[in-house]
Amino acid sequence: MNYDEFYRKSIDDKVGFWSEQALKLAWYKAPQKILSKDKNGFYRWFRGGKLNTGYLALDYHIEHGRGKQTAFIYDSPVTDTIKKFTYNQTKRQVAKIAGALKSLGVNKGDTVVIYMPMIPEATFSMLACARIGAIHSVVFGGFAPHELAIRIDDAKPKVIISASCGIEFDKVIPYKPLLDDAINQSEHQPANCLILQRPMCEASLVENRDLDFEQLVAASKPAKCVRVDATDPLYILYTSGTTGKPKGVVRDNGGHAVAMRFSMEYVYNVKAGDVFWAASDVGWVVGHSYIVYAPLIMGCTSIIFEGKPIRTPNAGTFWRVIAQHKVNTFFTAPTAFRAIRKEDPEALFMNKYNLNSLKAIFVAGERCDPPTLEWLQNISKLPVIDHWWQTETGWSIVANMMGVEQFDVKAGSATKPVCGYDVQILSEKGRKLGKNKEGYVAIKLPLPPGTLPTLWNDNERFKHSYLKKFKGYYLSGDGGYIDQDGYVFIMGRVDDVINVAGHRLSTGEMEEIIGYHPAVAESAVIGITDELRGQRPIGFVVLKDGKNIEESQIERDLIGLIRDKIGAVAFFRNALVVKRLPKTRSGKILRKTMRQIVDGEAFTIPSTIDDVNILNEIEECIKSRNIGVYCNDLKQHS
Ligand code: COA
Ligand code: AMP
């Protein structure tokens, strides 16, 4: 197939293109209107269509002879467990969890928060919600109670599903105290919590509120699939914005199912029966789309991996899983490969395994730095595909569409726009920029199916955050350029969002949290280059007059504060006290210039700066602490 033709059709004849793709799914009732606008003026896909995402993921395949095929493989090096679940077994389990939820009064349109580690019950619970039309909101297990509380207050779940603990390398992390703390902090109170007791750590249950997951599920009747509208929400997934309040990205049922199936066939070049492994976490969008929904909608086998790329037990774990389960397509974040490369640069572990089943490796979550890409290409001799996407879109915006036409890879580029995404580079004033000119990466509306129709209970924020800056476009928040061959290069965020080890975090939120410290007058948190994690946050703080607190003490306080409020995943390790922050004459903090100084990049001194000497003070400060460009030894970051 020819990419140019296929792509052009998706842009020039959107309705024709997507109605053809929609026909590949088993709808209860076909959509009446392929593309329309709702009362808020937002685009909606497949209005009038009736379906059930849980049915498409499980029942449909069982009805078509896949009942005995493995749906999920749970591979957990941290508990030394491997378990397989066929489509039949998965459906039975999911239907019973759905029944348990119904017995607690959860019905179509109700919300359920899921706060769980990477265990099969997490994915089963998501599918159980989909089965009864309930809206799940999965919260990443690495988030602290404060973050969980914010999400509980916004999503207002009737029920929260959790587990007694997670496992990080060899550390057991009790989840239940975190959940109890979060519920104490939140205004909204769930009627019930369903707690899965894991043998390595039993949780105590709160009377009249908490229930034992296994007992209730065992005693429940299986629930049937409920018909929902294509435009009904399937899930809410919170993601970091520029403030302390995360954005509740809404995913609808119809557009999502069409997009998931489409991406499996045309982006990943996968067919039913293949083994597809996304080594991510169900708390992130990659986990939602490519551990749970897309592989199952496509009739594949998916892997639930409870482990890390290294030290569980070694840097060969990924290769072991690929060989043992005959994985055909593998997907993870570049940071995972940087961790493996650091421990096993010669890929000695890889050579121990037979990786013949593997056809391609996909990476996303952050820009794949050229050295990591080249290393991976060399050691694997396979296509390594960097593709760009966001929580908001739920699937890739720019990729080498392997099921359409394979292009040469250019290191640093995610290749070309995926069907349905009209990607443009715009100037500050919204003018289209020419080839190789860097600017805002924007997508001409409408976005394709599967992308966010709005934010949960916040249409105004949706408009303000994404649609207002450039009329008729979606603002991605990333900067980049398109070269003479049409390859898109994503160069990083242009807002206060950073990516730490593939985890999307808000520096704006960190500044808000730091602001609670009684000695801090103001602060600037910036994301600096980190060899392993891609980026990590550091803070510059100005103390209030008269606050004579030791620099080491304030740094300890602020590290503790961020860990306590956001979680250890924020990896906030440095807070530097400065006399002032560099600002423009109108008072805007020059965060970009600060980041350039720390990373040792060339920069032009902004003409609007109020006092140029402050930049030298910043430089002196990082020099004295051996940070950024002055740090040659990565180890001291950790
Ligand atoms: N639950 C609880 N804590 C978590 C956690 C989770 N799910 N994930 C991370 N943490 C904690 C870690 O235990 C660590 O805590 P510590 O400071 O007490 O040691 C802290 O957060 C920082 O973690 P991280 O930055 O991940 O460093 P690490 O040394 O533990 O691991 C990597 C480094 C590269 C192995 C790890 O980041 C990794 O596997 N990255 C890939 C991430 C990924 O796949 N993202 C996909 C998104 S698409
Ligand atoms: P998330 O919503 O957590 O998936 O994070 C989305 C952000 O991660 C994007 O806006 C980008 O900044 C970054 N990102 C994800 N994938 C890529 C990629 N392949 N190349 C460059 N940046 C990426």
Side-chain angles (χ1 to χ4, degrees):
M1 201 188 303
N2 174 300
Y3 162 82
D4 284 333
E5 226 175 83
F6 198 50
Y7 175 74
R8 272 307 351 138
K9 182 164 160 49
S10 78
I11 301 299
D12 298 340
D13 175 20
K14 295 179 180 63
V15 169
F17 187 90
W18 290 110
S19 63
E20 220 171 274
Q21 294 305 325
L23 280 177
K24 296 180 180 176
L25 293 180
W27 299 80
Y28 296 134
K29 182 175 166 217
Q32 308 297 292
K33 195 98 183 111
I34 299 301
L35 180 63
S36 54
K37 278 194 176 178
D38 64 14
K39 62 179 189 317
N40 301 305
F42 302 152
Y43 286 101
R44 300 309 306 255
W45 288 97
F46 309 122
R47 185 168 290 288
K50 299 262 186 202
L51 76 164
N52 181 284
T53 302
Y55 168 81
L56 296 177
L58 293 167
D59 306 53
Y60 172 83
H61 298 300
I62 294 168
E63 289 166 15
H64 289 79
R66 290 193 182 278
K68 291 191 183 136
Q69 183 192 308
T70 304
F72 286 114
I73 302 171
Y74 168 53
D75 187 313
S76 169
V78 294
T79 59
D80 204 13
T81 313
I82 293 179
K83 257 193 199 164
K84 294 185 180 181
F85 301 87
T86 63
Y87 273 82
N88 280 331
Q89 290 165 332
T90 307
K91 182 194 138 184
R92 267 201 296 279
Q93 202 51 21
V94 166
K96 298 252 302 171
I97 300 173
L101 288 171
K102 283 196 85 165
S103 74
L104 298 178
V106 175
N107 286 306
K108 184 171 152 181
D110 290 334
T111 50
V112 173
V113 160
I114 300 173
Y115 182 63
M116 282 184 135
M118 281 297 293
I119 52 177
E121 289 78 3
T123 63
F124 295 169
S125 299
M126 292 163 77
L127 290 161
C129 291
R131 192 167 186 87
I132 55 173
I135 305 160
H136 61 69
S137 185
V138 183
V139 178
F140 174 58
F143 277 133
H146 168 76
E147 288 291 319
L148 178 57
I150 294 174
R151 286 155 174 82
I152 292 173
D153 272 335
D154 201 66
K156 302 197 175 12
K158 233 181 201 172
V159 168
I160 299 180
I161 308 180
S162 189
S164 56
C165 65
I167 301 160
E168 281 290 297
F169 298 106
D170 50 4
K171 235 181 356 189
V172 172
I173 306 205
Y175 272 35
K176 188 60 189 353
L178 305 176
L179 175 65
D180 289 342
D181 188 358
I183 295 174
N184 278 340
Q185 289 185 37
S186 57
E187 266 178 41
H188 173 82
Q189 296 295 298
N192 293 105
C193 295
L194 261 183
I195 309 296
L196 181 90
Q197 297 282 17
R198 303 188 78 189
M200 54 295 286
C201 164
E202 285 265 309
S204 57
L205 303 184
V206 173
E207 229 183 301
N208 297 327
R209 189 197 72 187
D210 298 347
L211 295 154
D212 182 282
F213 182 96
E214 277 183 344
Q215 280 174 13
L216 187 72
V217 171
S220 296
K221 284 206 209 94
K224 293 207 168 73
C225 292
V226 168
R227 284 173 177 236
V228 301
D229 286 332
T231 48
D232 281 341
L234 169 69
Y235 68 75
I236 310 161
L237 180 57
Y238 289 90
T239 189
S240 299
T242 49
T243 68
K245 191 172 182 290
K247 295 167 171 168
V249 168
V250 174
R251 191 85 56 221
D252 64 15
N253 275 276
H256 172 255
V258 173
M260 290 299 95
R261 201 209 160 281
F262 178 84
S263 67
M264 288 304 265
E265 181 173 354
Y266 296 108
V267 176
Y268 299 101
N269 195 23
V270 160
K271 56 183 187 326
D274 280 3
V275 182
F276 188 92
W277 179 26
S280 177
D281 189 291
V282 287
W284 304 113
V285 67
V286 175
H288 280 64
S289 295
Y290 295 108
I291 295 174
V292 187
Y293 289 111
L296 263 62
I297 287 173
M298 197 62 186
C300 295
T301 298
S302 176
I303 296 181
I304 301 164
F305 175 70
E306 190 182 24
K308 300 274 176 178
I310 50 169
R311 288 168 43 215
T312 54
N314 55 42
T317 308
F318 277 7
W319 311 125
R320 192 269 301 159
V321 174
I322 291 168
Q324 186 163 351
H325 305 306
K326 302 197 168 35
V327 171
N328 303 116
T329 306
F330 180 51
F331 176 175
T332 193
T335 187
F337 282 118
R338 284 196 295 271
I340 295 173
R341 182 183 175 202
K342 194 161 164 257
E343 299 214 350
D344 182 21
E346 308 298 328
L348 299 178
F349 278 115
M350 197 185 95
N351 296 331
K352 288 199 209 166
Y353 296 101
N354 177 348
L355 303 179
N356 283 346
S357 59
L358 194 62
K359 293 185 298 192
I361 299 172
F362 286 82
V363 286
E366 54 176 322
R367 180 167 181 263
C368 187
D369 53 293
T372 302
L373 181 95
E374 280 151 24
W375 176 78
L376 199 49
Q377 284 171 328
N378 284 338
I379 62 158
S380 70
K381 313 275 183 287
L382 287 168
V384 179
I385 313 297
D386 180 11
H387 58 328
W388 172 58
W389 51 302
Q390 308 183 310
T391 305
E392 286 85 344
T393 63
W395 62 296
S396 54
I397 310 163
V398 174
N400 202 331
M401 294 184 71
M402 297 294 280
V404 181
E405 183 180 346
Q406 190 178 340
F407 291 102
D408 288 341
V409 168
K410 289 194 191 187
S413 167
T415 315
K416 301 199 183 192
V418 167
C419 292
Y421 291 100
D422 189 351
V423 179
Q424 311 268 346
I425 308 295
L426 303 181
S427 71
E428 180 64 41
K429 295 228 160 79
R431 207 166 38 81
K432 270 196 208 172
L433 294 176
K435 295 184 177 73
N436 294 306
K437 292 248 174 3
E438 198 168 326
Y440 292 92
V441 185
I443 306 165
K444 199 162 188 296
L445 297 174
L447 294 173
T451 53
L452 79 173
T454 187
L455 294 176
W456 183 247
N457 284 339
D458 210 343
N459 291 330
E460 279 313 306
R461 191 171 182 200
F462 175 60
K463 278 192 231 168
H464 183 80
S465 304
Y466 301 105
L467 309 180
K468 204 173 127 205
K469 187 162 176 85
F470 303 121
K471 200 168 178 306
Y473 288 87
Y474 163 85
L475 178 73
S476 72
D478 280 296
Y481 64 94
I482 303 180
D483 79 359
Q484 63 290 349
D485 302 318
Y487 279 61
V488 182
F489 289 75
I490 302 296
M491 303 307 290
R493 299 288 303 195
V494 289
D495 55 12
D496 299 334
V497 167
I498 57 170
N499 245 291
V500 183
H503 308 144
R504 174 167 160 182
L505 299 167
S506 162
T507 53
E509 177 177 17
M510 294 181 206
E511 288 174 11
E512 280 178 31
I513 291 170
I514 287 174
Y516 288 120
H517 192 288
V520 171
E522 64 174 339
S523 73
V525 176
I526 55 170
I528 68 165
T529 302
D530 180 277
E531 266 187 61
L532 176 63
R533 294 172 181 79
Q535 281 183 300
R536 71 179 180 103
I538 66 165
F540 289 91
V541 294
V542 178
L543 300 185
K544 285 179 183 159
D545 286 346
K547 295 279 179 188
N548 289 326
I549 177 166
E550 284 277 326
E551 184 163 351
S552 59
Q553 179 60 47
I554 187 105
E555 184 164 53
R556 268 198 306 279
D557 288 357
L558 297 180
I559 290 171
L561 208 52
I562 300 282
R563 201 179 163 92
D564 188 43
K565 296 283 181 203
I566 297 180
V569 284
F571 204 74
F572 183 86
R573 301 285 164 111
N574 294 115
L576 313 175
V577 176
V578 288
K579 288 200 196 78
R580 338 169 257 170
L581 295 172
K583 291 185 183 170
T584 62
R585 281 188 284 276
S586 61
K588 195 167 170 283
I589 298 173
L590 293 164
R591 293 184 181 78
K592 183 174 170 196
T593 313
M594 292 168 83
R595 187 192 58 72
Q596 288 168 320
I597 293 172
V598 181
D599 283 345
E601 285 175 14
F603 64 93
T604 34
I605 295 173
S607 56
T608 50
I609 194 165
D610 71 341
D611 180 355
V612 76
N613 294 322
I614 306 176
L615 299 181
N616 298 332
E617 289 172 26
I618 295 282
E619 176 131 29
E620 281 309 311
C621 178
I622 59 159
K623 198 171 178 178
S624 68
R625 295 283 308 272
N626 297 326
I627 285 172
V629 64
Y630 295 103
C631 159
N632 293 319
D633 183 1
L634 223 193
K635 279 192 211 96
Q636 67 139 5
H637 287 171
S638 41

